[in-house]
Each structure stands twice: as C-alpha cells, then as structure tokens.
Amino acid sequence: RSINIIDHVSISGEGLPFFADLLDQKAKQFKYSYDNHYAPHDINVRELGTGKTRQETALSLGINFRAAPKLPLEEGINAVKMTLPKCYIDREKCSRFLESMRFYHRVYDPKNQIFRSRPQHDWSSHDADAMRTLASSIRQTLPSASETYSRPNASAGSWMG
C-alpha cells in the first residue's frame, strides 16, 4: 500500500475557481482520475464577503474536500515522517515539491545554541504544510496503491496545507 504523489503545482494568489479549472485541465491532459481531496481543518470557515464556507465554494466547483484534523505542529511533522516512506513521488512532475521538502528547516539560534521550535516560514513551508495536511488526513488509514492525490496549492487547492 502506497501513496502516489504524481503531480505538483505551487501557485499562490489564485482562488478556488482557478484550481478547479487546473484540476480539470490536468485530468484531461494526463487522464487523471481524482479520488480524495484534502484541505486544512479550517476549510469550513465562512468568508465574510459571501457567507459561504470554502468547502461550499469548492463543492460548487466540483471539489469535495475532506477536512484534515487540527493537530499540533509537532504531531503533524511526525505524521509526515511516518508517511513519507510510504510515498511514491514522481521525480519529474514533483521536482519542486521534493526540493521544498528537502529545504524545509528550523533556524538555528546561535545565542542560545538551539534550533527554534517552529520551522522557518519561507518558500518551502507551503509545500511542507500541504504534505502535513495529507499525512494527518490519511495517517490512520492508508489508501490502496491505486489511489492518487493532487496538490495544486497551499492557499486554495486540491491538497491544501
């Protein structure tokens, strides 16, 4: 049983309609068949402008998100550590994702001679947050080898972090 991460896009500043279209384009181009879409625990917050939840907006666009559980940061990082060995990751289509996972880090505090408790928030943290969302969502039941996951973006996509 494995988790197949077969494609990756990292784009910010776009809304859910953009990512719904992107999912459709990739499905047609690569003959993808999506199964589960995961989002952070706050997918059900209501937007002030519309009164709708992000979940409702996504559903109206054809994306049925499953909300990830809200976990402490360390527990989510541990879920990633336990999940990564079970992952098949396409090196070509997911090269930026792999690079960001390698770069994700904590900053060393030379004055106190320790690493800070929270990871550095930078270009790599959005992908790491997305992986944490996936890992915490599936940590109790892994998919069959035939299931695949997409991850358009941390801010508003199919596998959001």
Side-chain angles (χ1 to χ4, degrees):
R1 291 163 54 108
S2 67
I3 300 158
N4 301 308
I5 302 173
I6 60 170
D7 205 339
H8 170 266
V9 176
S10 186
I11 300 170
S12 61
E14 297 291 346
L16 283 168
F18 172 87
F19 292 104
D21 288 342
L22 184 62
L23 287 171
D24 287 342
Q25 289 171 21
K26 288 198 172 269
K28 289 174 187 164
Q29 181 180 359
F30 298 109
K31 297 186 177 20
Y32 290 163
S33 175
Y34 303 112
D35 188 35
N36 295 313
H37 298 281
Y38 297 102
H41 68 278
D42 61 355
I43 187 75
N44 286 309
V45 298
R46 295 205 177 273
E47 298 291 341
L48 293 175
T50 64
K52 288 184 173 183
T53 68
R54 295 174 190 149
Q55 170 76 15
E56 291 168 338
T57 301
L59 197 54
S60 73
L61 296 167
I63 304 171
N64 186 13
F65 280 117
R66 292 183 182 186
K70 183 176 182 176
L71 298 177
L73 178 66
E74 287 300 322
E75 193 172 332
I77 290 172
N78 189 53
V80 170
K81 290 177 183 178
M82 301 301 289
T83 302
L84 276 175
K86 299 172 178 116
C87 291
Y88 162 81
I89 303 172
D90 185 297
R91 287 184 183 180
E92 184 179 317
K93 291 181 187 171
C94 302
S95 61
R96 180 168 162 33
F97 171 74
L98 290 168
E99 184 180 350
S100 64
M101 292 302 293
R102 285 185 200 103
F103 189 80
Y104 187 62
H105 66 285
R106 293 182 181 187
V107 175
Y108 185 71
D109 179 354
K111 180 181 175 187
N112 295 314
Q113 298 183 341
I114 60 168
F115 284 93
R116 295 192 178 135
S117 62
R118 300 192 64 80
Q120 178 72 30
H121 181 70
D122 58 18
W123 68 272
S124 67
S125 58
H126 292 293
D127 289 340
D129 288 346
M131 184 63 199
R132 211 170 60 242
T133 297
L134 174 65
S136 63
S137 296
I138 63 171
R139 68 187 182 153
Q140 294 186 9
T141 56
L142 285 177
S144 68
S146 64
E147 287 184 296
T148 58
Y149 300 88
S150 63
R151 191 262 180 236
N153 188 338
S155 65
S158 176
W159 164 24
M160 298 175 11

